[in-house]
Amino acid sequence: MTRPKNFSREGVLDKAIPVFWKRGFADTSLQDLEKATSVNKSGLYTEFRDKEDLFIASLRHYLDTLNAEETMSTQPFGWSNVEQFLKYSYGCRGQKGCFSVNSMREYAVLPPEARELMKDSLVLLKRLLLKNIQAEKSAMEAGVIADLVLTFFSGLCVEQNLQPSKAHITRKIENFMQMLRKM
């Protein structure tokens, strides 16, 4: 007879995400995950095949609960949605930056399924950005602007690891948005 588990999958993912976010995939040990989740190794392996599986599940859970689609789909479409999306990068889940963007720094060592999740996430973000940019009827091609926004967002997320203040990040976003509105 198997013992009933005394944890929820979602609860484990919510506790594992900050560990992977802070330490990265390669530098996160099973002991780190046991400590953070309060679930022992056998419990983790009952729920997840291995550390890779837990990382992929964590990334998927993060992307599914990010609310980027909700933020970027608010009517009316336009710059306001883009700005809200960029501002969401600061202080998300008590962390700095974006878990997915931070994980891209380890792209070469990530499981292939994690890389696919990240690519799919970028495709979705670009599609949502395009809707908002097209609503503004900019003189510059919407796809070019969307690529600029994604690059800015990624850089902003990485820079937050250097511990800049919220005021510093907010000022950068405001300056960037001022430039976009002129395009």
Side-chain angles (χ1 to χ4, degrees):
M1 184 158 120
T2 60
R3 291 175 42 196
K5 64 182 185 179
N6 57 357
F7 60 89
S8 73
R9 181 179 180 89
E10 187 174 288
V12 168
L13 297 174
D14 286 337
K15 292 175 182 175
I17 288 170
V19 179
F20 284 126
W21 199 325
K22 181 179 179 183
R23 299 181 59 87
F25 172 72
D27 288 338
T28 296
S29 69
L30 189 56
Q31 292 76 23
D32 295 329
L33 294 166
E34 285 180 289
K35 184 177 178 184
T37 63
S38 301
V39 177
N40 65 25
K41 182 168 49 174
S42 65
L44 289 173
Y45 282 143
T46 298
E47 191 70 25
F48 307 96
R49 288 186 314 274
D50 51 25
K51 184 176 94 168
E52 285 186 5
D53 189 41
L54 177 53
F55 179 82
I56 291 164
S58 296
L59 182 60
R60 182 174 281 116
H61 180 66
Y62 170 79
L63 293 170
D64 288 346
T65 59
L66 188 59
N67 295 328
E69 192 163 4
E70 182 179 319
T71 299
M72 297 285 277
S73 297
T74 302
Q75 296 287 336
F77 291 121
W79 294 131
S80 179
N81 288 352
V82 174
E83 187 169 358
Q84 289 307 313
F85 167 70
L86 293 172
K87 286 181 177 178
Y88 189 70
S89 76
Y90 194 91
C92 177
R93 294 186 187 211
Q95 303 292 318
K96 295 198 176 179
C98 169
F99 176 42
S100 182
V101 171
N102 283 357
S103 296
M104 285 181 202
R105 296 177 297 175
E106 297 183 286
Y107 192 80
V109 299
L110 292 178
E113 190 176 343
R115 289 185 252 164
E116 286 303 312
L117 283 170
M118 289 180 205
K119 286 179 189 177
D120 292 346
S121 172
L122 284 175
V123 168
L124 172 64
L125 283 175
K126 185 167 182 178
R127 184 175 52 79
L128 295 168
L129 282 167
L130 284 170
K131 282 184 183 181
N132 285 283
I133 294 164
Q134 289 166 343
E136 293 292 346
K137 302 186 183 347
S138 298
M140 185 178 273
E141 183 185 334
V144 172
I145 297 172
D147 287 338
L148 286 171
V149 172
L150 286 172
T151 301
F152 177 78
F153 176 75
S154 295
L156 198 64
C157 291
V158 171
E159 182 182 350
Q160 288 181 47
N161 291 289
L162 301 173
Q163 305 299 320
S165 69
K166 185 172 185 173
H168 174 80
I169 296 299
T170 300
R171 191 168 42 258
K172 279 192 168 197
I173 293 169
E174 289 169 354
N175 290 339
F176 184 72
M177 290 307 302
Q178 185 177 16
M179 179 193 72
L180 285 181
R181 287 181 171 99
K182 293 179 180 179
M183 295 181 134

